[in-house]
């Protein structure tokens, strides 16, 4: 359409330099246009040619010049300057792009971080300070904005490494007609209030920790599974193949006392068994009856030297206690009965039958 319909990009770099660009190949194909500007007002305008052109495929697509006032008039003409193709008057202060924040400082207190910078010399009320941060385990930046020139946030994990960057933004629509922000200040890396060169080491340390823990858990799980399988295998082995007893533990004396000599061991064992049988035989009770009458010694065969073995019946009945009692009881002129035995006793002798 008309002359004012041409799209241009206008940037006032911190109110120091102006840059105006246009799409040369689309708006003026095959023609190398000229650019002129002025900061003067009224009839006394003095047009100045562009000191530095911005080129696009060897065609003039923009102009870079010094900012000299709040009101700017621009004009785009054909190559020989005889025809004006586009003109516009604007307020240069509405297209300011601020410079990067200067002297950025970080203040850490527990899990809270406060970032501040030096105040610009002009238009501080039109600026805000934006802080962005993220850890290496976050996908997106977290953003916080506050009035110039201090901004802060809390909830930082002291074990993580964070990347920080800050910039200044121009307020819209009170100060600018276009939202312009400064370039980002150099990115910095922090962990628990300590400045780092990068967060790569933090990632490696976390990765190494995760790898070590994973390996440790894998080893413990493997040992647990193997112990269970071993118990199952032992049970199965006992049920399918019973354990053969080791004679070393059953016949301990054969190996400890006789060094495995079976003949020597069996001979000694037989002797021990014979002695053991002899020890359990009932004792023989011999009761001697002495005659008080010495004159009948040679004529009476049932005298003082007669021996009566009264324990035979007790032995036949397998009652050693009865036999023992019969041997120990004193002689008397009485007849007693004990455990099925009858005992005849007088002053000279006693008979058990």
């Amino acid at each position: 359409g008309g002359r004012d319909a041409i799209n241009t990009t206008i940037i006032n770099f911190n109110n120091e330099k102006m840059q105006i660009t246009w799409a040369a190949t689309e708006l003026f194909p095959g023609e190398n246009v000229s650019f002129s500007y002025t900061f003067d007002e009224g009839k006394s305008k003095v047009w100045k040619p562009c000191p530095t052109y911005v080129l696009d495929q060897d065609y003039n697509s923009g102009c870079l010049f010094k900012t000299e006032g709040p009101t700017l008039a621009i004009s785009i003409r054909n190559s020989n300057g005889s025809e004006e193709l586009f003109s516009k008057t604007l307020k240069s202060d509405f297209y300011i792009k601020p410079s990067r924040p200067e002297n950025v400082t970080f203040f850490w207190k527990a899990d809270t971080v406060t970032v501040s910078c030096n105040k610009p010399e002009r238009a501080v009320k039109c600026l805000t300070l934006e802080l962005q941060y993220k850890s290496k385990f976050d996908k997106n930046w977290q953003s916080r904005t506050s009035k110039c020139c201090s901004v802060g946030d809390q909830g930082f994990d002291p074990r993580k490494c964070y990347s920080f960057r800050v910039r200044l933004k121009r307020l819209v629509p009170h100060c600018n007609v276009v939202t312009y922000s400064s370039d980002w200040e150099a990115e910095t890396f922090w962990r628990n209030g300590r400045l780092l060169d990068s967060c790569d080491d933090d990632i490696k340390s976390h990765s190494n920790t995760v790898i070590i823990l994973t390996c440790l858990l894998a080893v413990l799980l493997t040992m647990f599974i193997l112990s269970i399988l071993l118990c199952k295998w032992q049970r199965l082995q006992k049920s399918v193949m019973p354990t053969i007893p080791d004679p070393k533990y059953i016949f301990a004396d054969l190996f400890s006392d006789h060094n495995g000599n079976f003949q020597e061991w069996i001979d000694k064992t037989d002797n021990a068994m014979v002695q053991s049988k002899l020890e359990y035989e009932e004792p023989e009770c011999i009761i001697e009856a002495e005659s008080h009458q010495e004159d009948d010694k040679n004529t009476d065969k049932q005298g003082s030297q007669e021996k009566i073995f009264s324990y035979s019946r007790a032995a036949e009945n397998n009652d050693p206690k009865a036999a023992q009692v019969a041997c120990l009881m004193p002689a008397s002129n009485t007849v007693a009965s004990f455990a099925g035995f009858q005992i005849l006793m007088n002053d000279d002798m006693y008979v058990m039958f």
Side-chain angles (χ1 to χ4, degrees), residues 66-236:
K66 184 179 179 181
T67 304
E68 299 175 1
T71 304
L72 172 65
I74 61 175
S75 175
I76 298 177
R77 295 176 176 270
N78 57 6
S79 57
N80 57 17
S82 59
E83 181 183 359
E84 188 177 67
L85 304 177
F86 173 75
S87 64
K88 186 174 184 178
T89 301
L90 53 94
K91 291 292 185 180
S92 61
D93 292 344
F94 289 166
Y95 297 89
I96 293 177
K97 179 179 180 178
S99 299
R100 291 179 179 179
E102 297 179 353
N103 193 22
V104 178
T105 58
F106 290 79
F107 176 74
W108 289 76
K109 185 177 181 181
D111 64 341
T112 302
V113 179
T114 303
V115 183
S116 59
C117 67
N118 291 345
K119 291 184 179 181
E121 296 179 357
R122 295 182 295 230
V124 178
K125 295 182 179 179
C126 291
L127 297 173
T128 60
L129 183 63
E130 182 182 9
L131 168 67
Q132 286 190 348
Y133 61 87
K134 69 174 181 178
S135 70
K136 288 298 181 179
F137 304 97
D138 298 329
K139 294 182 179 180
N140 301 319
W141 289 93
Q142 304 293 324
S143 183
R144 297 292 181 271
T145 304
S146 181
K147 293 181 179 180
C148 186
C149 291
S150 178
V151 61
D153 199 4
Q154 59 185 5
F156 292 93
D157 189 346
R159 298 171 297 180
K160 292 183 179 180
C161 179
Y162 291 91
S163 302
F164 291 90
R165 62 182 185 180
V166 292
R167 66 180 179 181
L168 292 171
K169 295 179 67 174
R170 186 87 170 174
L171 292 176
V172 176
H174 305 289
C175 301
N176 264 30
V177 295
V178 182
T179 304
Y180 280 143
S181 301
S182 70
D183 296 332
W184 291 104
E185 180 62 15
E187 188 174 348
T188 56
F189 308 94
W190 297 80
R191 179 174 59 196
N192 196 22
R194 186 166 59 92
L195 181 63
L196 304 175
D197 294 333
S198 67
C199 289
D200 295 336
D201 295 338
D202 188 64
I203 294 177
K204 291 180 181 179
S205 62
H206 279 78
S207 300
N208 293 335
T209 304
V210 171
I211 292 173
I212 293 173
L213 291 177
T214 303
C215 294
L216 182 60
L217 290 176
V219 171
L220 293 177
L221 182 61
T222 303
M223 293 177 61
F224 178 72
I225 294 174
L226 289 177
S227 63
I228 293 177
L229 293 177
L230 181 61
C231 293
K232 295 288 186 182
W233 169 251
Q234 290 179 350
R235 291 182 181 179
L236 180 62

Side-chain angles (χ1 to χ4, degrees), residues 322 325 329 334-345 351-353:
V325 171
M329 288 182 62
T334 60
V335 177
S337 174
F338 181 80
F341 299 94
Q342 291 184 355
I343 304 172
L344 177 61
M345 291 170 283
V351 179
M352 181 176 177
F353 56 92

Side-chain angles (χ1 to χ4, degrees), residues 234-246 250:
Q234 290 179 350
R235 291 182 181 179
L236 180 62
Q237 190 177 22
K238 287 182 180 179
S239 61
V240 176
M241 296 180 293
T243 305
I244 299 175
D246 190 350
I250 299 177

